[in-house]
Amino acid sequence: MPFLDLDGLRCHVQRLAPPDGRPPAATAVLVHGLLTDSMASHYFTIAPTLAAAGLDVLMYDQRGHGRSGRPPTGYRLESFVDDLALLLERSAVTSPVHLLGNSFGGTVAYGLAVRRPAAVASILAIESEPASRAWSVKLDGILRRAGTELLDEATLAWVADRRGAHTARLARSAGRLLAATSLARDVPASRLPAEAELRAIRCPVLAVYGTESDLAEQAARLDALLPDCRSSFVPGHDHSVLVENPVVVGELALGWLREQGVELRREQAAVPAGAGGDDRTGPAPGRTGR
């Protein structure tokens, strides 16, 4: 690759093949969250482990993020789902894929499962939820707040002091994204799947939460809503569990794929301890990707 044209969107794509040169056992597509997130949060965490285990690993920067194009408009959830569907088509992926979505990336994964159920073998949703009215209201508040805070120099200085210069750079970039595009207006205005559409998702779903995250409270509801869903909890972590504990998340992912009948290689590379970004908007509870 590393760039594909998705009907006018220049999309940054990376693909990791099994290092042993053997045919891949299955395809895993990794979908990141909003604002400060990008494919880096997968590339520097679980992606190498999945490839070493025999997976064809497909990652991309979602519209407006990373090295992909940043159109001024077009950020409703359905546009992100369109991009994922086109990515599979343009990447010549013909078999059902295992979707691993972090935060908003999981919401996109659920969206594809609603629209193209035959394309999805399973979903591993990390700190995520399907789109709903409550999700839309929550995202509206988070994005409005982020649009103000992430353009404020005092807030950015606070982020740099508490979380380091790299996180502050990500926050500043996220503020520019919100200022330059309609993302903050578009995401809450997304088309929301009906409850019947979510109940019709037949692929297996593993929902992973940090025990300290407010999203963990939705586990029982989601397990009851989706026909084949169960939850797993990572103790002592919140919304950033992927980048804070990639070893455990990687182990959960491998175990999940084995359950789905994927014949993994016996030897896997170690999951790196750090990541290139996270999915938070700033210092306080204003996290994104819900």
Side-chain angles (χ1 to χ4, degrees), residues 258-290:
R258 288 191 189 95
E259 284 188 40
Q260 307 317 307
V262 179
E263 296 184 2
L264 302 179
R265 312 288 199 259
R266 291 186 178 181
E267 296 182 3
Q268 293 105 37
V271 180
D278 69 43
D279 191 4
R280 304 189 186 197
T281 64
R287 302 179 207 156
T288 61
R290 308 302 187 78

Side-chain angles (χ1 to χ4, degrees), residues 67 140 164 179 191 209 214 217 220 234 275 279:
R67 297 173 63 194
D140 185 46
R191 178 196 175 276
Y209 308 97
D214 57 342
E217 298 175 358
V234 183
D279 191 4

Side-chain angles (χ1 to χ4, degrees), residues 76-79 81 104 106-117 123 128-137 186-201 221-222 225-226 290:
R76 292 190 179 190
L77 175 60
E78 47 266 40
S79 295
V81 176
F104 180 75
T107 308
V108 175
Y110 288 123
L112 186 68
V114 166
R115 186 186 302 179
R116 297 193 178 182
I123 295 173
S128 185
E129 60 187 311
S132 66
R133 177 59 182 164
W135 169 89
S136 176
V137 171
D186 288 355
V187 172
S190 299
R191 178 196 175 276
L192 303 176
E195 183 173 301
E197 292 179 289
L198 296 175
R199 290 189 181 278
I201 293 176
R221 180 188 67 83
L222 197 60
L225 175 67
L226 301 178
R290 308 302 187 78

Side-chain angles (χ1 to χ4, degrees), residues 53-71:
L55 276 293
D56 169 27
V57 180
L58 186 60
M59 299 166 284
Y60 67 109
D61 284 326
Q62 299 210 69
R63 58 175 52 224
H65 295 73
R67 297 173 63 194
S68 287
R70 181 175 288 187

Side-chain angles (χ1 to χ4, degrees), residues 29-33 42 99-107 109 123-128:
V29 182
L30 313 186
V31 192
H32 68 76
H42 288 121
L99 295 175
L100 285 77
N102 183 45
S103 197
F104 180 75
T107 308
I123 295 173
L124 193 158
I126 305 165
E127 276 291 310
S128 185

